[in-house]
Amino acid sequence: MKICMVSSESVPFSKSGGLADVVGALSKALASLGEEVLVVLPHYGFMTDELVATDIEHTVSLLGSEERVTYAKLSEPGVEYYFVRHPFFTESKGIYGPTSSSSYDNNHLRYTLQSKASLKLLKILGWKPDIIHAHDWPAGFLPYLVKQDSSRFFKNTKTVFSIHNLAYQGEVSRLDLIETDIEVDPLFFVGSGSEKRANMLKTGLEFADTISTVSPTYAKEIQTPEYGCGLEELLQRRKDDLVGIINGIDIEEWNPENDRLLDYSFSIDDLSNKARLKRQIQEEFNLEVNADIPLFAMISRLVSQKGFVELLEGEVSALEELLTTEKIQVIVLGTGDWEIEKQFTELGSRFKNLSVNILFSNRAAHLLEAGSDFFLMPSRYEPCGLNQFYSLRYGTLPIARRTGGLADSITDLDENPQRGTGILFDSMSGRGILEAVRRALAWWKKGRSVIEPIQKRAMAYDSSWTRSARSYQELYRKTQGGVTV
Ligand code: ADP
């Protein structure tokens, strides 16, 4: 199959979040399964990679005139990357804005240009894709533009649109929409009266042949008002064309048998060095060195999405109650909202068994994933999540809220003692978190002979991209055949 990916970001060239990991890893994994992949990305001003200029040049209609576009290129086995060159991108220091918390006010134009340019590029190359895979709101107009194309070039091309984060929708005022030189369709819009705005994500969802998101549970959750960000009715209407495919991880970077950031390695056959790493953590993070005290880690952006409000709220918070009533150790590694940072820091100064580290450290993240006994992830929502995969891979049992990708990758030990790999809880409250941790402790108290086989089971979980890429292949085939997914 010929697959064209269109995305605003991809590792190793540009990254603001999980979208970049998915596009980068999925493209390579599909190539290694024998697919032909062409990826179209913007050439941002901050990119320093060795790219080769091409002599491809064309214009794109925008702002009532013709904008000149050129390309740089990079070829890897099975994957061709084309980078759209236009001052919109080459003169920008950031992806969506000058800083990570701001956005350019012409983003609707920047990414419309990328979508239009992608289609022209394919025609110039004579590269007829079986599938165009558009990612998130920046590529939202693309499925519509393919349907609207009057040449016969895309007559056998189907489109897949992926949601990585439903919360970002790319809304455009009616006035700004005129600048895109796109023939307007009523399905672009949300709201009514003076509130009526075009919505790039919604457009993608309306016109794509099929839709995917990053976990099966999240695919169901986004059809409800609680998680649907206003698009739940549309997603319900399209539920037969909507599928959830869980992400994979980089199993080379996160490999207990060969982790360049760790002093000791271990494997499913021999966990003895995991205990050494725990000792190292207890020493480095100023905790009592004692193999018998269960060690809980949290590595996260310190934001409300991740459940920290519930963990820390109340006169005696759930965390405080745990630290006082249970013989446990807790380590927090994260940065984020000032209020959450402050609450953790204050608790950290009062409890000897709590280590609070307000910093971003990849080495510390690897060490904590590898040497801890449990990993706590009480997220309110989690489209897919990554940390639970890392935890499973290092035999660090995850305790997580039953939502999104967490629900799909962890099996609860009490519900399924034979296959369990961690603890899942439902109630989004301090009490819910507390009870989940206590259930984990009940397992811990059963002793090494019970915990070790569970750790090994967790380590056997397949979080490779190959598995996910196979699911995408199946989605592409069904999309091509015009059958529901
Ligand atoms: P999200 O993308 O919502 O932040 P994920 O679980 O999908 O959550 O991914 C978070 C990633 O960022 C993980 O790889 C995690 O290890 C990493 N991370 C978050 N905070 C830190 C930190 N303070 N230090 C090191 N790594 C961190």
Side-chain angles (χ1 to χ4, degrees), residues 86-129:
H86 180 277
F88 279 168
F89 299 123
T90 48
E91 287 173 15
S92 68
K93 291 194 171 58
I95 298 182
Y96 307 110
T99 65
S100 59
S101 55
S102 60
S103 41
Y104 296 115
D105 54 16
N106 65 345
N107 271 339
H108 60 294
L109 292 177
R110 297 168 81 229
Y111 294 111
T112 300
L113 177 126
Q114 186 194 1
S115 289
K116 288 187 178 185
S118 305
L119 299 185
K120 280 215 166 167
L121 171 71
L122 293 170
K123 286 182 185 173
I124 290 169
L125 294 172
W127 206 91
K128 284 189 180 164

Side-chain angles (χ1 to χ4, degrees), residues 4 50 71 97 115 168 183 191 220-221 234 332 395 454:
C4 171
E50 300 263 323
Y71 292 86
S115 289
Y168 296 92
E183 197 180 306
K220 288 199 199 96
E221 288 173 336
L234 157 55
V332 180
I454 302 170

Side-chain angles (χ1 to χ4, degrees), residues 158-304:
K158 300 280 187 199
T159 55
V160 175
F161 184 80
S162 283
I163 307 164
H164 300 264
N165 193 335
L166 193 65
Y168 296 92
Q169 303 187 353
E171 291 209 347
V172 188
S173 73
R174 275 186 288 182
L175 210 61
D176 286 345
L177 189 64
I178 298 170
E179 300 175 338
T180 61
D181 289 353
I182 290 182
E183 197 180 306
V184 173
D185 188 283
L187 289 175
F188 286 6
F189 295 94
V190 292
S192 56
S194 60
E195 299 286 291
K196 195 167 164 181
R197 292 169 75 76
N199 182 310
M200 292 172 74
L201 185 91
K202 175 177 189 281
T203 306
L205 298 176
E206 293 279 11
F207 289 96
D209 292 304
T210 57
I211 302 164
S212 79
T213 188
V214 290
S215 71
T217 296
Y218 193 60
K220 288 199 199 96
E221 288 173 336
I222 56 178
Q223 297 175 43
T224 66
E226 198 186 340
Y227 296 90
C229 302
L231 297 175
E232 57 275 9
E233 283 174 21
L234 157 55
L235 289 159
Q236 275 163 30
R237 173 159 50 79
R238 295 221 58 192
K239 68 175 188 313
D240 291 342
D241 302 317
L242 165 64
V243 69
I245 299 175
I246 198 136
N247 291 339
I249 58 166
D250 185 334
I251 54 171
E252 299 301 321
E253 194 203 337
W254 296 89
N255 181 3
E257 291 182 41
N258 181 21
D259 186 326
R260 63 190 168 80
L261 296 174
L262 299 181
D263 294 340
Y264 310 100
S265 55
F266 59 96
S267 72
I268 202 160
D269 301 318
D270 181 5
L271 288 176
S272 52
N273 273 346
K274 185 169 169 70
R276 285 212 173 81
L277 289 162
K278 176 172 175 180
R279 188 189 170 88
Q280 188 181 353
I281 293 173
Q282 288 173 324
E283 284 168 356
E284 279 190 26
F285 289 82
N286 285 324
L287 295 165
E288 181 187 333
V289 177
N290 184 337
D292 296 331
I293 303 177
L295 175 60
F296 292 74
M298 281 187 276
I299 305 168
S300 179
R301 289 183 291 124
L302 302 180
V303 294
S304 58

